[in-house]
Amino acid sequence: MVKVLAVFGTRPEAIKMAPLVIELKKRTGIECKVAVTAQHREMLDQVLEIFNIKPDYDLNIMKAGQTLFDITADVLMGFKNILSEFKVDMMLVHGDTSTTFAASLAAYYQKIPIGHVEAGLRTGDKYAPFPEEMNRKLTGALVDLHFAPTKRSKQNLLNEGVNPASVYITGNTVIDALKMMVCEKYKFNVCKLDKIDYNNKRVLLVTAHRRENYGGALQNICHALKDIKLEFENVEIVFPVHKNPAVRNVVYEVLDNINGIHIIEPLDYKQFVNLIKQSYIILTDSGGLQEEAPALGKPVLVMRDVTERPEAVEAGTVRVVGTKKDDIKRHVRELLNNSEVYNRMAKAVNPYGDGYAAKRIADAICYWFGLSKVRPGEFVCHL
Ligand code: UD1
Ligand code: UDP
């Protein structure tokens, strides 16, 4: 039996690793266990519940106001113990969080091979996103197998001198997760959401949480939303707010108790993706949403200065609008007032995957361990 340990700790990692854990548990010849760091607690547990994943190990590291030093040190020390108990043949990590980097470092110290899911995304700016750009890059330097979602992410790795044979273009597992959750007809179990008249109102769905946007940028975002709501009667704004107090304090201060603006708790993944489907425009600084919303034909305005996900920008469904109040308002206004521009953006494109990424990654792992003889085929984007 090949022993594989899937590691994650935050909401987005859990969403994107869930399809892979489910796939690996079906494979003969592989024993897959799950270790969570719980860098996030409630937001992680929401995902574990919806995908019915029960972790074998739980470091339970989250504390209020945790710093990058806390997360990195706690994860590193936590895995020192786990890895001496469960002798793994491969650790699988995801993306760009501090859980990802610190867990990879622990595996490297124990000379355990590592597979990196969602490898190779880059902005080229080491402080944006911070610290994710460097978390992903440093992880890439430690790992043995790189699962690049797109051709471009593979090319980024090759440009850095990574051995081409260790890179697989797989598509992004987020599209697998999305396809598992999106429904034809969906009834929300959050009262405020069920009351919205989706046929006659245009819903702007908002998320924001990036470290670069703490403070002034987040203030700008909130004031832009307030102005938009006051300007457009038939718009409703839904903002499920991240649990981070640095985010919540600003959002509640500026946007609480405004008619037509619904500030709500983080939604479970099933409700959230079905809310994307009912929304008109997505405003976000999140990474995952830049991948999911285009697949559902929803225009995305990215409230950041740079993105490591340029594929949907090139396909025309995502725009990077920055974090200045007037810029955000201008772009939202254009989409609300100009149906031609809106329709050009609102086309379903899927540069990030086809729903088979987890299968390709599992195939690649089997191939690496000699459980299968044929190198798996790659995800091809037909845009
Ligand atoms: C982390 C990741 C970021 C990822 C984001 C997804 C790092 C450095 N950052 O950032 O890459 O995009 O998750 O959301 O790895 N909190 C709770 N309950 C929760 C989750 C968070 O109370 O379920 C609060 C805690 O007070 C915690 C704070 O939020 O200290 C910040 O969490 P943290 O993981 O440090 O940062 P994020 O901004 O969530
Ligand atoms: N998401 C969710 N509930 C919410 C908000 C977001 O399930 O209330 C999902 C969303 O669909 C996406 C992921 O969480 O898959 C994004 O997580 P986040 O924004 O925390 O992190 P990022 O993608 O920026 O790393």
Side-chain angles (χ1 to χ4, degrees):
M1 274 292 199
V2 170
K3 291 183 178 166
V4 172
L5 185 66
V7 172
F8 46 90
T10 64
R11 169 173 67 190
E13 294 167 88
I15 290 167
K16 291 170 167 183
M17 285 295 259
L20 181 55
V21 168
I22 292 167
E23 179 67 29
L24 287 172
K25 282 190 184 281
K26 286 193 240 163
R27 299 283 174 128
T28 48
I30 291 188
E31 180 190 0
C32 175
K33 289 198 178 180
V34 172
V36 296
T37 64
Q39 175 179 334
H40 287 171
R41 186 70 273 172
E42 304 92 315
M43 285 161 52
L44 171 74
D45 292 344
Q46 269 187 327
V47 183
L48 294 173
E49 194 182 330
I50 213 98
F51 285 98
N52 196 21
I53 292 175
K54 298 188 179 28
D56 300 279
Y57 302 94
D58 190 334
L59 296 185
N60 199 24
I61 66 154
M62 194 194 86
K63 42 187 181 248
Q66 62 202 7
T67 66
L68 297 176
F69 296 93
D70 296 320
I71 305 169
T72 308
D74 292 350
V75 171
L76 190 62
M77 288 311 287
F79 276 105
K80 185 176 173 225
N81 299 330
I82 292 176
L83 296 177
S84 57
E85 184 190 316
F86 180 48
K87 302 281 179 217
V88 299
D89 299 303
M90 174 167 279
M91 180 189 276
L92 292 175
V93 294
H94 183 278
D96 61 5
T97 70
S98 292
T99 284
T100 314
F101 169 56
S104 305
L105 190 58
Y108 168 73
Y109 285 162
Q110 302 271 21
K111 298 197 172 146
I112 292 166
I114 309 163
H116 188 196
V117 182
E118 201 186 74
L121 284 67
R122 298 284 187 272
T123 62
D125 177 343
K126 78 177 189 182
Y127 292 114
F130 173 80
E132 288 82 6
E133 174 78 359
M134 287 313 284
N135 278 342
R136 201 186 301 264
K137 198 169 172 182
L138 294 168
T139 301
L142 298 169
V143 307
D144 303 85
L145 283 177
H146 308 260
F147 304 114
T150 65
K151 205 169 150 190
R152 183 189 293 256
S153 43
K154 174 175 180 176
Q155 191 56 50
N156 290 338
L157 292 165
L158 300 186
N159 294 348
E160 291 170 10
V162 169
N163 173 6
S166 67
V167 187
Y168 293 80
I169 304 177
T170 60
N172 198 309
T173 54
V174 79
I175 305 298
D176 304 27
L178 186 72
K179 289 192 167 172
M180 289 163 86
M181 292 294 153
V182 80
C183 309
E184 212 30 68
K185 280 207 170 114
Y186 187 76
K187 191 169 161 34
F188 297 103
N189 57 30
V190 171
C191 181
K192 278 184 185 171
L193 295 182
D194 223 30
K195 281 192 182 143
I196 295 174
D197 175 4
Y198 294 94
N199 292 324
N200 295 306
K201 296 280 186 181
R202 295 189 288 180
V203 171
L204 309 191
L205 176 58
V206 185
T207 75
H209 70 84
R210 298 234 79 82
R211 272 183 167 71
E212 311 85 272
N213 285 347
Y214 288 0
L218 190 57
Q219 295 262 2
N220 296 343
I221 290 169
C222 292
H223 284 287
L225 295 172
K226 189 173 172 180
D227 290 358
I228 291 286
K229 176 56 221 158
L230 296 176
E231 193 175 325
F232 292 89
E233 206 280 314
N234 70 344
V235 158
E236 302 259 334
I237 297 176
V238 180
F239 194 159
V241 188
H242 193 288
K243 286 279 183 194
N244 189 343
V247 176
R248 296 175 84 80
N249 294 345
V250 175
V251 174
Y252 277 92
E253 188 190 306
V254 183
L255 295 177
D256 204 15
N257 288 321
I258 298 176
N259 212 1
I261 300 187
H262 310 284
I263 309 295
I264 56 175
E265 288 300 312
L267 291 168
D268 71 53
Y269 187 56
K270 190 161 191 172
Q271 295 203 72
F272 190 78
V273 294
N274 285 290
L275 181 59
I276 300 178
K277 219 172 138 227
Q278 297 282 12
S279 300
Y280 195 70
I281 303 170
I282 314 298
L283 285 131
T284 191
D285 65 9
S286 149
L289 264 162
Q290 296 175 54
E291 296 152 346
E292 293 160 335
L296 295 172
K298 303 297 171 179
V300 184
L301 300 180
V302 178
M303 300 179 296
R304 299 190 193 179
D305 295 325
V306 285
T307 181
E308 67 281 56
R309 294 168 167 88
E311 293 86 351
V313 177
E314 282 157 15
T317 64
V318 170
R319 277 187 192 171
V320 180
V321 301
T323 56
K324 294 199 176 78
K325 183 171 114 171
D326 288 342
D327 290 340
I328 296 169
K329 282 168 62 180
R330 183 164 46 81
H331 284 281
V332 174
R333 233 185 247 129
E334 189 184 15
L335 284 176
L336 289 171
N337 288 334
N338 188 333
S339 57
E340 211 177 292
V341 174
Y342 181 88
N343 290 333
R344 259 206 315 271
M345 279 188 85
K347 51 187 182 204
V349 299
N350 221 334
Y352 297 110
D354 55 2
Y356 297 101
K359 184 179 175 306
R360 288 190 190 94
I361 294 169
D363 287 347
I365 293 167
C366 288
Y367 178 64
W368 202 77
F369 282 105
L371 298 175
S372 68
K373 296 279 169 279
V374 192
R375 189 179 161 98
E378 297 197 316
F379 165 63
V380 181
C381 170
H382 294 290
L383 275 179

